[in-house]
Amino acid sequence: QQKAEAASKLDELDETRTELGKKKKEVQAKLSEAQKLLNSLTAAQRASLEAAENRANRSNERVDLGNDLPASSLAAAALSAAKTKLGSPYVYGATGPSSFDCSGLTSWAYAQAGAGIPRTSQSQANAGTRLSMSQLMPGDLVIFYGDLHHVGLYAGNGQVLHAPRTGTVVRYESINNMPFQFGVRI
């Protein structure tokens, strides 16, 4: 029986390894495509893009988060932990404490608050109660894009605290800058 269970686990691990390999190839292809696009930009376009990125990072110094109360003390603690990481660099696959990807930041923040949540944005999308945009409260997870590949923490007043992408840092951004799917209350 133990041998059968071990064989079953090995099969599951092989399937997971295969799936992760496929995902890695997809990510590498997207990264390669993005790099080609970036390389095709003129110097003026690059300067404009860099200026816009700098404005986005500077704007975090004066973000109005409003007066909304967090959904719970757990959500408040997670959001508070994430705020301490403002300015930390985005690194794909990073889970802190000095660099993060999107779901690395949210899972790290909730771990600091004493709650374990899944590691990936797709898994985090199913980790709690789903919410519409009007139901969001500070500390709720916010899921973006149709394939659920991005997550952040709702910070209040239409702002999300998140780790956006390579070349950026943990920062606040308008919830309307990305295609909102739903919120999740842990």
Side-chain angles (χ1 to χ4, degrees):
Q1 183 181 352
Q2 288 177 335
K3 187 175 179 181
E5 287 176 16
S8 174
K9 290 288 183 192
L10 281 173
D11 288 343
E12 287 178 29
L13 286 172
D14 281 342
E15 287 176 25
T16 301
R17 183 180 299 126
T18 301
E19 187 177 319
L20 288 174
K22 288 178 186 173
K23 294 240 186 245
K24 182 178 179 182
K25 285 181 183 176
E26 286 176 27
V27 168
Q28 288 172 332
K30 286 180 182 179
L31 185 58
S32 176
E33 190 176 312
Q35 189 62 52
K36 285 179 189 174
L37 181 62
L38 188 59
N39 291 342
S40 72
L41 295 178
T42 65
Q45 289 170 323
R46 283 183 194 222
S48 176
L49 189 61
E50 189 173 321
E53 197 65 46
N54 288 338
R55 281 192 304 277
N57 288 337
R58 272 197 316 274
S59 71
N60 284 295
E61 297 165 7
R62 52 187 183 276
V63 172
D64 176 10
L65 301 177
N67 298 320
D68 295 339
L69 294 176
S72 65
S73 58
L74 177 65
L79 181 58
S80 181
K83 286 178 180 180
T84 68
K85 296 305 174 179
L86 280 164
S88 297
Y90 176 100
V91 174
Y92 180 77
T95 58
S98 57
S99 60
F100 300 89
D101 68 6
C102 66
S103 55
L105 175 65
T106 53
S107 60
W108 179 87
Y110 268 93
Q112 303 316 297
I117 64 172
R119 168 65 181 94
T120 66
S121 58
Q122 290 90 350
S123 296
Q124 289 176 13
N126 297 309
T129 305
R130 287 198 179 185
L131 310 166
S132 67
M133 193 178 296
S134 65
Q135 294 173 304
L136 290 174
M137 298 173 77
D140 288 335
L141 297 177
V142 186
I143 308 295
F144 297 98
Y145 300 95
D147 63 356
L148 315 179
H149 77 262
H150 189 65
V151 62
L153 290 164
Y154 186 69
N157 199 28
Q159 297 293 309
V160 177
L161 178 57
H162 69 142
R165 64 189 168 281
T166 300
T168 63
V169 297
V170 173
R171 67 183 188 201
Y172 293 108
E173 190 165 343
S174 170
I175 196 169
N176 298 316
N177 288 358
M178 297 163 284
F180 173 83
Q181 299 301 303
F182 51 86
V184 175
R185 183 157 298 147
I186 301 297

